[in-house]
Amino acid sequence: MAALRYPRRALHPLCRAFSGGGCQLAPERGGERRDAAPSRVSRFCPPRKSCHDWIGPPDKYSNLRPVHFYIPENESPLEQKLRELRQETQEWNQQFWANQNLTFLKEKEKFIDSRLKAKGLELRAESGQKATLNAEEMADFYKEFLSKNFQKHMYYNSNCCVTKDLPHF
């Protein structure tokens, strides 16, 4: 199977290769809030002399793969603006999904605990195995969670693809 090839100056979001001498990767900015899920992505680090964007392993909180953006030595103002917008979008997605996944896990545990207590069961069976609920009972939780977070997901979907700051060609 042939690999996809892109023109040297193509603005492909994940595979940008530039010719030239110096190579630099954009630093990650960690805009963390105290009430939010940890937003530090994995500590993966591409080689210093890399001239490409690098994609790391999934973050344990957001499940998103972090991108270290390459900064070409002769980056134009337009390329810089695009890279910065991509970085901001990545950070926003990271924070949103880290918070959303943390909320989901907390509420799921609370739901399971309350259902097990209502049945008169403990969190762990006598064998030491963690007690679980059946698929129908968990479906109640998933439906409730999605309904409760509908507005939040609508906000995410309406804002994740906004390109108002990008120049029109």
Side-chain angles (χ1 to χ4, degrees):
M1 186 169 184
L4 292 175
R5 298 216 180 258
Y6 295 94
R8 272 200 157 135
R9 306 271 305 159
L11 295 177
H12 185 269
L14 299 177
C15 303
R16 265 178 35 202
F18 289 89
S19 60
C23 298
Q24 182 182 358
L25 290 173
E28 286 188 36
R29 295 178 298 201
E32 296 179 36
R33 291 184 353 224
R34 286 199 175 116
D35 61 334
S39 69
R40 290 302 321 153
V41 291
S42 71
R43 299 188 192 285
F44 104 95
C45 189
R48 277 202 180 284
K49 299 215 180 220
S50 175
C51 294
H52 305 282
D53 290 350
W54 279 71
I55 303 168
D59 177 70
K60 71 179 189 177
Y61 300 106
S62 70
N63 293 323
L64 299 177
R65 297 172 66 96
V67 179
H68 286 264
F69 295 95
Y70 164 65
I71 304 173
E73 190 175 283
N74 57 347
E75 182 176 57
S76 72
L78 189 59
E79 290 171 325
Q80 179 182 357
K81 179 130 177 114
L82 176 61
R83 178 183 46 79
E84 289 170 351
L85 287 169
R86 290 174 63 211
Q87 284 175 284
E88 290 171 18
T89 301
Q90 177 185 322
E91 292 167 10
W92 184 73
N93 280 314
Q94 167 68 26
Q95 195 64 49
F96 177 87
W97 286 111
N99 288 333
Q100 189 64 10
N101 292 344
L102 182 65
T103 301
F104 176 83
L105 291 174
K106 284 179 180 178
E107 290 185 22
K108 181 179 167 186
E109 284 301 315
K110 205 160 74 172
F111 177 84
I112 292 171
D113 289 350
S114 69
R115 287 286 175 105
L116 290 174
K117 284 180 184 173
K119 291 180 173 183
L121 300 172
E122 294 293 322
L123 280 164
R124 299 223 176 250
E126 289 178 21
S127 64
Q129 240 183 346
K130 195 171 181 178
T132 59
L133 299 175
N134 65 36
E136 285 182 21
E137 291 171 306
M138 289 308 297
D140 291 340
F141 165 73
Y142 298 132
K143 182 178 188 290
E144 179 183 316
F145 184 82
L146 288 173
S147 294
K148 188 163 66 171
N149 288 278
F150 178 77
Q151 289 299 321
K152 191 187 293 188
H153 288 131
M154 288 297 292
Y155 171 78
Y156 175 82
N157 286 329
S158 67
N159 287 295
C160 74
C161 301
V162 173
T163 58
K164 65 180 182 224
D165 294 332
L166 287 176
H168 296 285
F169 298 101

